[in-house]
Amino acid sequence: MTHKIATSAWLLCTAFSTTGGGVVFAQLSSPVQWQSPAEWHRLVKKAIPGTLLFDDAAVEFRSPKFSHRWPYGEIKTFDLSGAHELVITDYENRHWHAPGEQRFRFTLSQPMPPGIAAELTAHVGRPVINGNPDPVTAVIAEIPAHHRERFGGSNGTLRLHEDGIDYVGRDGRDGRSWRWSDIQTLANPDPYEFRVTAYREIVEFDLKRPLSRDLFDRLWDRLYAADLNLGPPREEHHQ
């Protein structure tokens, strides 16, 4: 009995911590999957250094000046630019009734591995922009392409695989990784053009090698195979 009382007291002590004269319940998190030194960037204010980490339940930023934990269910979306910049958009209202969504922008000292980026995407579940594709994922086809933008663009490779579509930039930047659930529809107006209409963006490519009709049909069928989206009638697929 004495041992049980002592054990219970120890558990209570580890569950509570004292800060500023008050008692707060300490958050218990899952084992960390990945972490990196990071800076939280604020508008017209100095960046705050800390550590950004992921576990099975949430994304967390830890710093003596600011700490916050975002359970995956509370993350509306995120933008991952390359492997070093992450913007989290959550469901919280901005302070002082300011318009727009609340976003938190971080730069990472260590590059996020593509596998971790894919896990983060899967944990959040909702459509995101993952700019860190895995360049060695097994593919059904690769096509050299130019990512067309209003000003400039980039050269790289479209990588078509069973789980979605990736674009790997030649210089390691401007990449994309779309799961089928991130894609609303596909278009192939002619053999040398390809367009991905995702829920978060529309991206157009000039293909350096023609995309065959059979391959496009395979992509189209894969997109709609699991009833992830409601598509137009079959005869409109290629328009």
Side-chain angles (χ1 to χ4, degrees):
M1 178 65 69
T2 301
H3 173 72
K4 291 182 178 179
I5 294 174
T7 301
S8 298
W10 178 83
L11 289 172
L12 287 172
C13 288
T14 57
F16 288 86
S17 61
T18 302
T19 57
V23 177
V24 297
F25 193 79
Q27 287 186 311
L28 303 179
S29 60
S30 305
V32 174
Q33 292 182 330
W34 184 81
Q35 63 182 6
S36 170
E39 287 189 331
W40 172 43
H41 296 273
R42 303 174 294 168
L43 188 63
V44 303
K45 293 183 179 180
K46 187 176 181 180
I48 292 180
T51 301
L52 192 73
L53 58 90
F54 309 145
D55 59 34
D56 287 335
V59 177
E60 187 170 344
F61 181 70
R62 295 176 182 173
S63 170
K65 294 184 177 180
F66 172 81
S67 293
H68 194 79
R69 184 171 173 83
W70 294 270
Y72 292 118
E74 296 303 317
I75 297 176
K76 184 176 182 180
T77 188
F78 70 77
D79 291 16
L80 179 62
S81 299
H84 288 277
E85 183 170 339
L86 176 67
V87 179
I88 294 174
T89 302
D90 65 15
Y91 288 102
E92 294 288 336
N93 294 323
R94 296 181 66 186
H95 298 301
W96 306 110
H97 303 286
E101 300 171 316
Q102 187 164 228
R103 294 182 174 89
F104 298 84
R105 184 168 71 89
F106 302 95
T107 54
L108 311 175
S109 297
Q110 299 177 6
M112 185 186 300
I116 295 297
E119 286 190 33
L120 176 60
T121 298
H123 280 312
V124 171
R126 289 165 287 280
V128 302
I129 295 179
N130 178 2
N132 190 15
D134 188 346
V136 297
T137 300
V139 297
I140 58 176
E142 289 185 314
I143 302 176
H146 174 78
H147 175 195
R148 188 193 309 164
E149 294 187 277
R150 188 178 184 86
F151 301 102
S154 65
N155 291 294
T157 304
L158 271 173
R159 308 186 78 247
L160 315 174
H161 54 88
E162 291 295 336
D163 296 324
I165 299 172
D166 292 349
Y167 172 70
V168 179
R170 186 179 296 171
D171 58 0
R173 303 175 62 183
D174 197 29
R176 287 291 187 274
S177 181
W178 295 285
R179 303 165 299 173
W180 294 120
S181 58
D182 293 320
I183 299 173
Q184 192 170 15
T185 190
L186 302 172
N188 181 218
D190 65 64
Y192 290 94
E193 292 185 75
F194 186 67
R195 182 170 62 249
V196 177
T197 300
Y199 288 100
R200 296 285 321 282
E201 61 183 343
I202 298 174
V203 182
E204 296 182 323
F205 297 97
D206 295 310
L207 305 180
K208 300 180 182 181
R209 193 173 67 228
L211 175 64
S212 71
R213 191 57 63 190
D214 287 343
L215 181 54
F216 182 78
D217 285 344
R218 182 174 176 182
L219 296 176
W220 184 272
D221 291 341
R222 184 64 187 84
L223 174 62
Y224 290 94
D227 293 328
L228 296 174
N229 302 285
L230 293 177
R234 181 67 189 182
E235 60 271 17
E236 297 180 6
H237 285 183
H238 302 255
Q239 295 180 0

